[in-house]
Amino acid sequence: MNSATFRSVLLITGMCALGACSQGEMSPPEEAEFLRQSEELTARFQSELQMELSTALSEVGHVGAIGVCQSAAAAIGERLSEGSGLAVSRIARRNRNAGNGISPDLKPLYSELEASPMQDGSPRSVHGTVGERLVYLRAIPMLEQPCSTCHGSNIDPALSEVISQSYPDDRAVGFEPGELRGAFLVEQSTER
């Protein structure tokens, strides 16, 4: 162990001994592990959802694939949550599913992503402690294809009709490529 690492371990140990690691706070190693898990979970979520959507698009077309997004995203989030012990979902300010809205306490972090959804050519992520939980948000930027077909400004009228029937209060249209379409959300309680 080098001297810088040794000093970090001593500092963390001293902080915990003084009560800084008491209920409601996570140690730096715990927070680092949460971030590592969050990055892994959101990458898996995106990969699995894209695979299911691509399969549906090739098998049943855009109209048929609407149901896949509706059911598959929630199922993937639930499966990843159960497997990890963390809460994994998607949220959006302009959401298609009313259950995926942004709670008031997450709006400041979400606004950070809206201001700059990409960083160094990749979706940007932000994290912080919100109330009694550690949260991680990873941007879902609007892609030209296949996203613009259902979420863009020029949606085929027949497809738009099916979307309206499936999502009567849909607000997830009119996006331009590169805009923040939504975010993956991972949450962990800081209570012990």
Side-chain angles (χ1 to χ4, degrees):
M1 178 181 310
N2 66 34
S3 63
T5 304
F6 182 71
R7 282 192 302 272
S8 294
V9 169
L10 281 177
L11 178 62
I12 292 167
T13 304
M15 288 169 51
C16 288
L18 293 172
C21 292
S22 63
Q23 184 173 348
E25 294 185 25
M26 298 182 83
S27 70
E30 290 172 320
E31 185 173 338
E33 177 59 18
F34 169 75
L35 294 176
R36 185 199 63 74
Q37 285 183 294
S38 297
E39 290 167 5
E40 180 183 301
L41 288 166
T42 55
R44 283 182 50 202
F45 198 143
Q46 181 177 6
S47 175
E48 290 179 28
L49 184 57
Q50 282 180 334
M51 186 169 28
E52 291 206 29
L53 184 56
S54 293
T55 300
L57 287 170
S58 65
E59 292 176 0
V60 296
H62 288 93
V63 171
I66 291 169
V68 170
C69 273
Q70 191 173 31
S71 62
I76 292 168
E78 286 176 29
R79 188 174 65 253
L80 292 173
S81 295
E82 289 172 9
S84 67
L86 302 174
V88 185
S89 61
R90 293 185 313 164
I91 59 173
R93 188 179 309 274
R94 290 168 41 200
N95 53 325
R96 181 154 281 169
N97 179 341
N100 292 348
I102 302 169
S103 61
D105 59 353
L106 292 177
K107 286 181 180 179
L109 284 173
Y110 192 86
S111 293
E112 285 185 47
L113 289 181
E114 279 180 316
S116 180
M118 299 291 287
Q119 183 173 5
D120 300 324
S122 297
R124 184 172 169 223
S125 64
V126 295
H127 69 280
T129 301
V130 178
E132 296 296 320
R133 66 197 197 283
L134 193 59
V135 299
Y136 172 94
L137 294 171
R138 179 176 169 215
I140 303 172
M142 169 72 170
L143 301 176
E144 180 62 42
Q145 289 300 322
C147 302
S148 64
T149 303
C150 294
H151 295 285
S153 300
N154 190 20
I155 301 172
D156 179 86
L159 181 58
S160 184
E161 178 64 28
V162 174
I163 292 170
S164 294
Q165 290 171 1
S166 298
Y167 301 97
D169 298 319
D170 179 32
R171 301 179 327 152
V173 294
F175 288 97
E176 296 296 325
E179 282 186 297
L180 185 67
R181 164 62 201 95
F184 294 107
L185 170 64
V186 182
E187 301 174 281
Q188 178 180 352
S189 173
T190 57
E191 293 184 344
R192 296 181 193 176

